[in-house]
Amino acid sequence: MKIMPNRLDRAFFMHQAEYEKKALEILRSGWYILGKEVSSFEEEFAAYNGSRYCVGLASGLDALWLAFRVLGIGAGDEVIVQANTYIASVMGITINGATPVFVEPDEFYNINTSMIESKITSKTKAILVVHLYGQAANMSDILSLCQKYQLRLVEDCAQSHGAEYRGKKTGTFGDIGCFSFYPSKNLGAFGDAGAILTNDESIAHAMKIYRNYGSEKRYYNQVVGANSRLDELQAGLLRVRLSHLEELNEERRLIASKYLDKIKNPLIHLPKTMVHCGHVWHQFVIRCSERQNLISYLEEKEIGTIIHYPIPPHLSEAYRYLGHSAGSYPFTEELADTVLSIPMYNGMTAAEQDYVIEALNQF
Ligand SMILES: *Cc1c(COP(=O)(O)O)cnc(C)c1O
């Protein structure tokens, strides 16, 4: 049986008729940018999360860099972020000229909140919390630090659509919640798309100006902005997917609990969940000190896997200028050498999952 690490077509076929109907409706409407689909999606996504405002954007990276731009965080400022994140989180900081200050993760793969305080300096302006792999971070610790040191809070929710910390949705804790709707995300579009959530009307207003060349009124440009609009087609298709997000996340939870229950191999370390930190299982990330052998073994059985992420941002060529070296963040580097994401996608069949479990148990 051939099993790919992800199958984006499965979620499409689950609600094919609804997607096709919506796509045709938009294609035939003659209105393709910033119309009623975008504003309806913004209203629905804000309501779903319990946030006052949502602003649709072109990608998750745009959401991140525009968040720091709108908050006025740039050159000379420091932003705290976990070291084991996807590099786009870090780019959101550095595109603005600000400096990322890395903090090691904990055993749940999210920022180790006990290691944040020692990294706070007079230049620290914000914490960028990433709810990695779909699990909410320890928000009560993070909120108290933000309060104590008067820091801005930005959330990278690119992997945590619908995840909750103590019953409150990720993306609603800080100043700005940043989302990606890249096709493989839990709330995936059929192309690139993103959005921010905020409860602050002036931030929402500024985002709408920035996403459209810095202009509110055509040809009157207030700031140097971006072309970062969410288009009608993606917004319409996202509305369809959003209406099914709860059931899609529930399916992922069932797949994850079966993996947690049935994978039994001393060579494989299973992911841990923390109390109050809801998980929507964007990825199911195991660890194995014999990772390369495991990958080759699974390849022979035609089971695909992905590494999220093999090179931590502080060791990437793009960030050589920050001057970090191997050994700077040992746990992060250990994770980069041992983590492996096994197949996890909506529409995964029981037979497919049993095949993966059996292979892992026989390794
Ligand atoms: C996917 C992702 C992003 C970037 O989103 P894009 O829409 O691809 O730009 C940022 N941060 C994290 C944690 C991600 O997983």
Side-chain angles (χ1 to χ4, degrees):
M1 194 183 316
K2 186 173 167 64
I3 301 182
M4 311 215 300
N6 204 344
R7 287 290 303 264
L8 300 180
D9 55 331
R10 295 277 176 86
F12 165 68
F13 286 118
M14 256 182 227
H15 304 104
Q16 179 177 7
E18 290 173 60
Y19 290 119
E20 291 181 353
K21 178 166 174 279
K22 183 51 90 174
L24 278 178
E25 182 188 319
I26 296 163
L27 290 172
R28 289 170 178 168
S29 74
W31 194 286
Y32 306 119
I33 296 282
L34 297 184
K36 74 175 180 38
E37 294 297 334
V38 170
S39 52
S40 300
F41 172 73
E42 288 171 341
E43 276 170 31
E44 289 161 9
F45 195 58
Y48 168 79
N49 287 292
S51 180
R52 285 179 72 194
Y53 306 99
C54 168
V55 180
L57 300 168
S59 73
L61 176 60
D62 281 357
L64 288 159
W65 79 259
L66 288 169
F68 292 107
R69 182 69 54 97
V70 162
L71 294 174
I73 293 171
D77 298 333
E78 293 177 355
V79 177
I80 289 185
V81 63
Q82 71 194 63
N84 63 324
T85 185
Y86 180 50
I87 199 161
S89 317
V90 182
M91 288 184 178
I93 299 167
T94 60
I95 287 171
N96 289 294
T99 304
V101 173
F102 297 113
V103 173
E104 291 259 60
D106 58 19
E107 59 180 326
F108 307 99
Y109 307 144
N110 277 325
I111 193 163
N112 186 329
T113 54
S114 70
M115 295 172 92
I116 296 177
E117 199 157 17
S118 64
K119 299 278 185 140
I120 294 173
T121 72
S122 58
K123 292 180 180 166
T124 310
K125 290 286 158 20
I127 296 178
L128 172 59
V129 59
V130 187
H131 307 288
L132 201 69
Y133 305 143
Q135 179 164 226
N138 182 346
M139 293 313 297
S140 66
D141 283 4
I142 291 167
L143 288 171
S144 5
L145 287 166
C146 286
Q147 209 155 31
K148 181 167 172 193
Y149 293 95
Q150 294 297 301
L151 303 177
R152 296 287 205 166
L153 177 58
V154 178
E155 297 176 73
D156 182 339
C157 308
Q159 304 188 357
S160 69
H161 318 76
E164 292 178 351
Y165 177 79
R166 289 182 185 268
K168 186 171 154 69
K169 292 269 191 307
T170 60
T172 63
F173 286 88
D175 297 282
I176 304 179
C178 302
F179 290 82
S180 163
F181 307 121
Y182 183 79
S184 66
K185 311 292 190 186
N186 289 37
L187 179 62
F190 294 82
D192 278 307
I196 62 99
L197 292 180
T198 184
N199 284 325
D200 183 325
E201 190 182 355
S202 64
I203 289 176
H205 186 227
M207 276 289 172
K208 287 192 172 174
I209 291 173
Y210 268 96
R211 77 173 168 188
N212 199 24
Y213 310 115
S215 103
E216 192 172 17
K217 191 172 158 210
R218 192 175 279 191
Y219 307 127
Y220 291 84
N221 300 77
Q222 304 168 33
V223 288
V224 179
N227 171 354
S228 184
R229 299 170 299 229
L230 172 62
D231 64 63
E232 286 285 284
L233 194 56
Q234 297 306 338
L237 297 170
L238 281 166
R239 290 180 68 199
V240 174
R241 180 135 332 168
L242 178 60
S243 72
H244 298 292
L245 182 60
E246 285 296 302
E247 69 205 58
L248 293 170
N249 279 342
E250 185 53 29
E251 183 186 36
R252 286 176 180 271
R253 276 191 217 95
L254 291 175
I255 294 171
S257 66
K258 185 164 169 183
Y259 272 149
L260 290 171
D261 204 34
K262 298 268 161 73
I263 299 173
K264 289 190 167 59
N265 184 330
L267 293 173
I268 291 168
H269 175 101
L270 293 171
K272 289 198 176 122
T273 52
M274 185 166 161
V275 279
H276 308 307
C277 298
H279 209 319
V280 292
W281 299 100
H282 174 60
Q283 300 295 347
F284 192 93
V285 179
I286 62 171
R287 277 151 67 191
C288 178
S289 52
E290 292 178 41
R291 183 173 66 187
Q292 195 45 55
N293 290 338
L294 178 58
I295 293 172
S296 312
Y297 162 85
L298 292 172
E299 265 171 9
E300 265 169 42
K301 297 191 172 289
E302 295 195 301
I303 298 172
T305 54
I306 308 188
I307 299 170
H308 297 98
Y309 301 94
I311 303 172
H314 73 278
L315 296 181
S316 115
E317 192 182 339
Y319 288 121
R320 197 177 290 162
Y321 74 90
L322 292 172
H324 299 288
S325 51
S328 311
Y329 300 93
F331 187 46
T332 298
E333 292 164 29
E334 185 191 321
L335 290 179
D337 290 337
T338 55
V339 292
L340 190 66
S341 306
I342 61 174
M344 157 64 77
Y345 47 85
N346 286 117
M348 186 176 202
T349 65
E352 287 172 336
Q353 201 186 359
D354 290 342
Y355 182 72
V356 174
I357 292 166
E358 192 176 306
L360 288 169
N361 286 344
Q362 280 168 10
F363 173 66

